Amino acid sequence: MKNGLGMNNLFKYDEWLIIEEGFHPELNREAESIFSIGNGHMGQRANFEENYSGDSLQGSYVAGVYYPDKTRVGWWKNGYPEYFAKVLNAPKWTGIDLSIDGKTLDLAKSKIGSFTRVLNMKEGYLERSFIYYPSKGKSVEINTRRFLSMADNDLGIIRYSVKSLDFDGSAEFNIYLDGDVRNEDTNYGEKFWKDVFNSAESGAGIITSATLKTDFHVTTGMRYVIHKNGKIIKISPEVISRDGYTANRIKINFKAGDELAIYKYVSVQSSLNHDKNKLVSVVGDRTAFALRTGYTRLFESHRKEWEKIWSASDVVIEGDIAAQQAIRFNIFHLNQTYTGKDERLNIGPKGFTGEKYGGSTYWDTEAFALPFFLKTAPMKVAKNLLIYRYKHLQKSIENGAKLGFRDGAALYPMVTMNGEECHNEWEITFEEIHRNGAIAFAIYNYIRHTGDTGYIAEYGLEVLIGISRFWSQRTTYSENLGKYVILGVTGPNEYENNVNNNWYTNTIAVWTLIYTLRNIADLKKNNPAALKKIISGTSLKVKEETMRWEEITKTMHFPFDEKRKVFLQQDCFLDKELKPAESIPKKERPINQHWSWDRILRSCFIKQADVLQGLYFLEENYDTETIKRNFDFYEPMTVHESSLSACVHSILASRIGNIRKAYELYLRTARLDLDDYNREVSDGLHITSMAGAWLAIVEGFGGMRIISDRVSLNPLIPEQWKSYSFHARFREILFEVKVTTSNIRISNLSDKTLSLRISEKNYEIKGHGDMSDCKENT
């Protein structure tokens, strides 16, 4: 909260729109994050087109382009990564400066009124309108709209209009591209870009910038036209071209009532997709295409792409507009961050909305984002997320070798752009090894959703063997306990470091070993030729290695409290003073912004689901009473200061029938950014946790699971809702579920028959049929 205004009353409730009425410069960074747009290829924070001297985080991002910022730590430890990968603030493409009668528009200084900013989630655009008063008795109406095309993902388009309401005068526009940009988040204050090429001519400009060290080239080109009262006018601009900057400056006279509208067409291409020597010609061709096609047709093709997305992923909530707005906000940002078209790309925790976390890949993808795309997108989208990890297997083996592991043991990175570990906090890099388990579980989750069993032989088993080798070597035998143990780890709850026998880590390690052994046995029976090839390629010593894996699975230590009958987060957890999170004074929340790390580590308070994360992943192995006992023990001590926390708790609360708690936690995860619960939206949004909000509805309230090769549903409905509906996919079958207070209706939107289990009864719904004509199977 700043100057008394909180985020929870900044935006109006609306089913499809995020609306800011009145300009709030003290919350501008937060609004820049909320109103960000993207298309999978690139993204843009909601920075103003015109010059702004107030507080702002400039952010234009190109997927896959990064800089290896040299690691900076106080005490270097063997095994530290050499760098932290940063997704870069790329050259600015949105620039349109405006002066009226010589008075420069700057929202930090200029007199303005009737300011409104709107994010249209249904059609995927950002617009802004306000009145500018350049001097007494003079007023100008400004309207802008921008979108990043989902149909042509290298294109960004802006319509910027200026209308004189009551005077004759002149407008001067400076339409530009600027490569002189920096990241705020740098270890040594360095610039990450160098200028390579620039040119300008009347109506067009182009610049090429290259990253230092990694030598990615990004070429940004623009063309534009200006309309006056709806008709194109000829221009004779001043053409400006210097290192890293190109611009056209135009002065136009107007009369009261005249409207001037700039249509700016931009193409952004990188050397990820084109030869460096051809980038300039490619971008020139693409901006010419955009100019030729025109704003209306470009927008229509973009709008149709969003229509397709919503037809397969929308959630409709009746009776609760705050919940409705929130879930669409989450779905919108997920789909504009990742489209699944390029297996080299992944999903950063901030997506295209900020610099924090470097924009790199974390285990969040496998644990939260993958299930969303499994259920809402064609199979190839989720498969590309898995192939991304498969292609990083060798780098993961190298990561393990740097920490002393051998013989093909793979430690997947906590943070990466290219498979190489680049996180440099020791308790994360060395200890948060549970990330390996999430990647193994993702393979299982993908196959049970898609039925793509061939993935194991083609890609999956190699990854599982590498991960299993890591678990085998990371596990030691305790003579004292007579069991295998895993020492010195950090679990998902990062408010505990260097603990022994984190229950979740031990559990997911054993699960991975069992799953790997099962797949080896399946291939031996069903595809021995493929298994032979994998054994040869991985140099697997089948008898020796698998015997140890089996022994570990049978003799692993799992901390357990016999009195409470709950799994213990780690050894010695009960030595802590156990207190509920509600005992923390409100002024000290979030504790990570008010307490010392020493105090946090000694407390019982939990950042995010840890034991409960394991119960969520492996729910089918535990009965309802076990889940309830653990939920009731751990949730009261959980402060939910990770964006990934509330969603898991909401799903499990639904599982145990605690619908009120499930709703409370759903709303927290769904409106996490809109209401800025953790007071950090200025840094960017929590993209991967947004998938958790969707899962809280579909897997939580909807009770959707995949059991025995069919969809299982056990729906609940919060008392605040009249009804809700969602779309989901199972093995390329798209279907819709609608739940009311009195019934459930399922519609099969595909050609193939859908196998369902609802409240312990099995059904078959024919293609394009619904519950009214379905067949019940016993």
Side-chain angles (χ1 to χ4, degrees):
M1 183 176 292
K2 301 177 183 178
N3 298 340
L5 180 65
M7 286 281 285
N8 60 354
N9 56 9
L10 182 60
F11 307 116
K12 290 181 63 176
Y13 289 148
D14 187 277
E15 291 185 353
W16 282 107
L17 308 175
I18 308 298
I19 304 169
E20 177 189 14
E21 293 185 335
F23 180 46
H24 306 97
E26 73 281 7
L27 289 171
N28 185 53
R29 284 192 180 223
E30 287 83 349
E32 287 176 339
S33 299
I34 294 292
F35 290 106
S36 295
I37 57 174
N39 63 9
H41 170 71
M42 57 182 175
Q44 177 65 51
R45 283 174 61 84
N47 311 120
F48 301 135
E49 286 84 0
E50 63 275 351
N51 176 66
Y52 181 67
S53 61
D55 187 33
S56 174
L57 176 62
Q58 178 66 38
S60 178
Y61 309 103
V62 181
V65 175
Y66 69 95
Y67 176 84
D69 201 9
K70 185 179 178 182
T71 297
R72 186 169 189 166
V73 293
W75 178 17
W76 186 269
K77 299 175 179 65
N78 288 336
Y80 262 157
E82 297 290 332
Y83 67 89
F84 189 83
K86 302 287 176 65
V87 166
L88 305 183
N89 177 23
K92 181 178 179 180
W93 63 273
T94 56
I96 304 176
D97 288 341
L98 172 66
S99 296
I100 300 292
D101 288 348
K103 301 290 181 66
T104 299
L105 173 62
D106 178 349
L107 268 66
K109 300 175 180 178
S110 301
K111 182 180 178 182
I112 64 168
S114 304
F115 181 95
T116 303
R117 182 160 33 182
V118 177
L119 180 66
N120 185 308
M121 299 179 288
K122 187 174 185 178
E123 298 186 342
Y125 64 85
L126 172 64
E127 61 184 4
R128 183 171 53 112
S129 64
F130 58 95
I131 306 298
Y132 170 40
Y133 304 96
S135 57
K136 188 174 181 179
K138 297 181 178 181
S139 56
V140 176
E141 181 181 344
I142 312 291
N143 287 282
T144 73
R145 180 185 285 193
R146 73 169 69 147
F147 63 95
L148 289 173
S149 175
M150 294 292 282
D152 298 280
N153 67 10
D154 64 306
L155 298 183
I157 297 98
I158 298 172
R159 183 186 188 278
Y160 191 102
S161 73
V162 177
K163 182 177 183 179
S164 171
L165 298 181
D166 46 25
F167 71 104
D168 300 348
S170 66
E172 183 175 276
F173 299 100
N174 190 49
I175 305 167
Y176 67 91
L177 306 172
D178 187 3
D180 185 18
V181 294
R182 292 177 177 268
N183 274 48
E184 283 193 1
D185 179 22
T186 68
N187 289 339
Y188 296 91
E190 298 173 295
K191 282 190 68 175
F192 297 152
W193 296 96
K194 64 180 179 181
D195 304 322
V196 174
F197 173 84
N198 70 86
S199 71
E201 59 186 67
S202 177
I206 196 163
I207 60 173
T208 297
S209 303
T211 59
L212 301 176
K213 297 183 181 179
T214 46
D215 198 36
F216 291 108
H217 284 218
V218 172
T219 297
T220 308
M222 69 173 183
R223 296 182 192 266
Y224 67 92
V225 292
I226 301 179
H227 289 215
K228 187 173 185 179
N229 299 326
K231 296 181 179 180
I232 296 177
I233 60 174
K234 292 183 178 180
I235 56 171
S236 298
E238 175 188 357
V239 176
I240 303 167
S241 182
R242 59 178 185 265
D243 285 350
Y245 183 88
T246 185
N248 277 200
R249 187 173 293 146
I250 313 108
K251 187 173 183 179
I252 304 172
N253 295 322
F254 58 77
K255 294 182 179 181
D258 283 349
E259 181 184 45
L260 305 173
I262 296 171
Y263 293 86
K264 183 177 181 181
Y265 304 96
V266 175
S267 173
V268 179
Q269 298 278 10
S270 82
S271 55
L272 275 173
N273 300 311
H274 299 280
D275 184 281
K276 294 173 184 176
N277 297 320
K278 295 181 180 178
L279 279 171
V280 170
S281 63
V282 169
V283 167
D285 289 345
R286 292 296 294 160
T287 55
F289 160 79
L291 184 67
R292 226 174 26 247
T293 305
Y295 178 89
T296 301
R297 283 192 290 169
L298 288 172
F299 179 74
E300 181 61 14
S301 61
H302 165 75
R303 185 196 65 77
K304 286 181 177 178
E305 288 301 311
W306 272 110
E307 187 176 45
K308 292 177 189 174
I309 290 168
W310 287 114
S311 70
S313 62
D314 191 21
V315 172
V316 178
I317 299 170
E318 185 184 7
D320 189 344
I321 194 168
Q324 176 67 86
Q325 180 188 49
I327 193 58
R328 284 186 171 141
F329 179 74
N330 288 282
I331 296 169
F332 173 75
H333 276 288
L334 283 161
N335 279 293
Q336 69 172 5
T337 299
Y338 184 75
T339 61
K341 295 176 181 178
D342 190 338
E343 64 192 30
R344 297 169 300 175
L345 303 180
N346 208 282
I347 306 162
K350 295 294 181 188
F352 295 124
T353 70
E355 299 174 8
K356 192 174 181 182
Y357 303 125
S360 306
T361 302
Y362 287 60
W363 70 287
D364 310 16
T365 292
E366 284 74 25
F368 299 93
L370 178 74
F372 169 80
F373 288 107
L374 276 172
K375 292 181 176 72
T376 63
M379 185 175 79
K380 65 180 181 180
V381 174
K383 187 172 185 176
N384 276 346
L385 288 173
L386 294 189
I387 291 174
Y388 176 90
R389 293 294 195 180
Y390 172 78
K391 289 189 171 182
H392 289 175
L393 176 58
Q394 187 55 45
K395 284 285 187 182
S396 299
I397 291 171
E398 293 171 15
N399 293 335
K402 290 174 183 177
L403 301 188
F405 298 93
R406 63 195 185 280
D407 300 330
L411 176 58
Y412 273 88
M414 187 66 183
V415 180
T416 195
M417 287 297 296
N418 62 1
E420 188 173 21
E421 178 64 75
C422 66
H423 199 291
N424 47 40
E425 295 175 0
W426 66 268
E427 68 275 16
I428 306 298
T429 305
F430 301 153
E431 294 194 345
E432 204 162 338
I433 56 176
H434 67 82
R435 60 194 188 252
N436 255 9
I439 291 164
F441 186 80
I443 294 171
Y444 163 75
N445 208 15
Y446 165 78
I447 292 170
R448 70 171 169 175
H449 276 81
T450 65
D452 182 12
T453 55
Y455 185 83
I456 287 292
E458 190 175 5
Y459 303 107
L461 188 55
E462 290 179 57
V463 173
L464 292 170
I465 288 170
I467 292 173
S468 293
R469 282 170 160 166
F470 171 82
W471 288 129
S472 178
Q473 293 176 38
R474 189 61 169 79
T475 301
T476 54
Y477 186 76
S478 167
E479 294 288 349
N480 179 51
L481 291 174
K483 291 181 178 294
Y484 284 95
V485 295
I486 302 179
L487 308 177
V489 303
T490 295
N493 172 26
E494 293 170 339
Y495 288 176
E496 297 274 11
N497 302 148
N498 203 36
V499 302
N500 294 335
N501 296 306
N502 170 260
W503 182 86
Y504 170 71
T505 302
N506 289 20
T507 297
I508 202 68
V510 166
W511 179 90
T512 302
L513 293 171
I514 292 171
Y515 185 56
T516 305
L517 290 166
R518 191 178 86 196
N519 278 289
I520 290 173
D522 286 347
L523 278 188
K524 183 178 180 180
K525 178 181 179 182
N526 299 313
N527 195 345
L531 179 60
K532 183 178 179 180
K533 183 179 178 180
I534 293 168
I535 289 171
S536 175
T538 59
S539 300
L540 180 68
K541 300 172 185 175
V542 180
K543 186 173 182 180
E544 178 183 334
E545 293 190 69
T546 59
M547 281 181 63
R548 177 172 168 82
W549 299 351
E550 288 178 358
E551 185 180 359
I552 291 170
T553 66
K554 295 173 182 176
T555 326
M556 179 66 82
H557 169 56
F558 299 104
F560 186 74
D561 177 20
E562 290 289 351
K563 180 181 177 181
R564 296 176 178 84
K565 302 297 182 186
V566 297
F567 305 118
L568 293 179
Q569 186 172 270
Q570 71 263 350
D571 288 348
C572 303
F573 182 79
L574 294 180
D575 292 343
K576 293 174 176 285
E577 182 182 5
L578 304 183
K579 298 189 295 184
E582 64 183 15
S583 67
I584 304 169
K586 194 171 183 179
K587 65 182 180 180
E588 296 179 17
R589 300 287 296 272
I591 60 174
N592 62 21
Q593 296 177 22
H594 294 89
W595 288 13
S596 70
W597 199 245
D598 170 75
R599 186 179 179 188
I600 289 174
L601 291 176
R602 288 185 288 107
S603 79
C604 69
F605 300 121
I606 299 168
K607 181 183 180 185
Q608 70 189 81
D610 198 302
V611 167
L612 298 184
Q613 183 72 44
L615 295 179
Y616 165 61
F617 271 175
L618 307 175
E619 176 191 22
E620 60 199 53
N621 296 338
Y622 305 98
D623 60 29
T624 302
E625 275 306 308
T626 298
I627 296 171
K628 185 177 187 306
R629 281 196 305 273
N630 283 275
F631 183 93
D632 291 345
F633 180 67
Y634 285 109
E635 197 284 327
M637 291 184 281
T638 303
V639 290
H640 300 295
E641 289 174 9
S642 164
S643 63
L644 303 173
S645 182
C647 58
V648 172
H649 287 82
S650 179
I651 294 166
L652 291 180
S654 290
R655 171 71 169 77
I656 62 176
N658 189 343
I659 190 68
R660 289 188 178 182
K661 176 58 74 172
Y663 175 78
E664 170 197 325
L665 292 168
Y666 160 74
L667 212 57
R668 181 185 176 100
T669 193
R671 297 196 64 86
L672 177 74
D673 290 325
L674 284 172
D675 294 340
D676 200 9
Y677 275 96
N678 291 341
R679 303 176 194 176
E680 56 188 12
V681 166
S682 59
D683 293 328
L685 306 180
H686 298 85
I687 300 299
T688 45
S689 76
M690 289 177 171
W694 189 89
L695 293 171
I697 291 178
V698 175
E699 293 185 353
F701 303 137
M704 180 176 168
R705 304 290 188 273
I706 307 302
I707 301 174
S708 301
D709 292 322
R710 64 174 61 231
V711 175
S712 175
L713 297 166
N714 285 290
L716 303 170
I717 185 168
E719 62 182 15
Q720 294 85 350
W721 298 358
K722 295 178 181 178
S723 71
Y724 67 96
S725 65
F726 61 85
H727 294 79
R729 289 179 187 268
F730 173 65
R731 303 189 180 177
E732 299 293 71
I733 300 171
L734 178 66
F735 60 96
E736 182 182 19
V737 177
K738 182 168 184 178
V739 180
T740 69
T741 54
S742 58
N743 61 38
I744 176 174
R745 181 182 178 87
I746 294 98
S747 300
N748 184 347
L749 306 178
S750 301
D751 295 330
K752 295 191 294 184
T753 297
L754 174 65
S755 298
L756 277 173
R757 186 173 180 82
I758 306 172
S759 301
E760 306 304 318
K761 291 184 179 180
N762 293 336
Y763 299 90
E764 305 291 329
I765 301 180
K766 293 181 179 179
H768 302 286
D770 57 33
M771 291 289 289
S772 63
D773 58 5
C774 72
K775 179 181 178 182
E776 181 179 342
N777 290 340
T778 56

